[in-house]
Amino acid sequence: KAGVTQTPRYLIKTRGQQVTLSCSPISGHRSVSWYQQTPGQGLQFLFEYFSETQRNKGNFPGRFSGRQFSNSRSEMNVSTLELGDSALYLCASSLRGGQTYNEQFFGPGTRLTVL
Amino acid sequence: KQEVTQIPAALSVPEGENLVLNCSFTDSAIYNLQWFRQDPGKGLTSLLLIQSSQREQTSGRLNASLDKSSGRSTLYIAASQPGDSATYLCAVRLGVYGQNFVFGPGTRLSVLP
């Protein structure tokens, strides 16, 4: 069974630009969560999508947005990039609903560098 | 607000030693707790998941315990190997439909051959 895949793996952008990252969950998983990881702040929750609906949102500005498609694939978008947005963006998928254990499986991440 | 801490921040041990990594959380009302390892520049690999009703989970040389009332979890690694060198993170889930995982800062482990 294929794991969580994220594209692209590396990205370099300049301030003010916008970027879209993609995540394909494990087959059959319907929940996708996004996290930002930086040396200073560690791992921080961005948002979670389940069945194309945003279920939870972390404390990030509105420049960070996301969506989920009917096949459970998810994208996150960051507009008006700032230097502080440089980070490793991780996507995790889990099997949600009913008596599931909600174990999260992570992708390899997208390394975003903002110049 | 839930806060998760991990002690020690870094640990260096010779190969073959047994070791314990600690994770503490401030609010005992958790849904579950998960331990991960992260290799440099890579994503997270799930190691063990403990539901809030469980006391421990085991997988191979790894054993994780959970004491909700005291807000603590430990990850025990037996007979450590150089391949165990990585950063170990614990994360607590606050609810099925609440805020998602809250991660600790991690323990950076080096196992010396």
Side-chain angles (χ1 to χ4, degrees), chain A residues 57-106:
Chain A
K57 190 176 189 304
N59 297 321
F60 279 81
R63 300 185 297 107
F64 291 82
S65 64
R67 59 178 174 167
Q68 186 179 34
F69 301 94
S70 58
N71 62 357
S72 295
R73 189 177 71 85
S74 176
E75 289 181 346
M76 70 161 276
N77 183 276
V78 187
S79 62
T80 319
L81 283 166
E82 301 177 0
L83 295 178
D85 297 333
S86 295
L88 181 67
Y89 289 87
L90 292 163
C91 163
S93 78
S94 62
L95 191 61
R96 273 282 285 273
Q99 298 298 315
T100 64
Y101 290 120
N102 293 306
E103 183 174 3
Q104 294 208 350
F105 298 89
F106 281 78

Side-chain angles (χ1 to χ4, degrees), chain A residues 9 33 35 37 43 45 48 55-58 88 90 96 100-108 111, chain B residues 31-32 34 36 38 41-49 51 54 89 93 96-101 103:
Chain A
R9 293 292 312 280
S33 299
Y35 296 85
Q37 187 177 33
L43 262 157
F45 170 72
E48 178 189 15
R55 290 286 190 179
N56 305 296
K57 190 176 189 304
L88 181 67
L90 292 163
R96 273 282 285 273
T100 64
Y101 290 120
N102 293 306
E103 183 174 3
Q104 294 208 350
F105 298 89
F106 281 78
R111 172 75 63 186
Chain B
Y31 186 72
N32 61 33
Q34 198 166 349
F36 298 89
Q38 185 175 31
K42 303 285 181 63
L44 279 65
T45 300
S46 176
L47 297 174
L48 289 164
L49 170 69
Q51 299 298 327
Q54 297 175 322
L89 299 113
R93 187 168 186 130
V96 180
Y97 295 112
Q99 179 72 14
N100 219 304
F101 274 117
F103 279 84

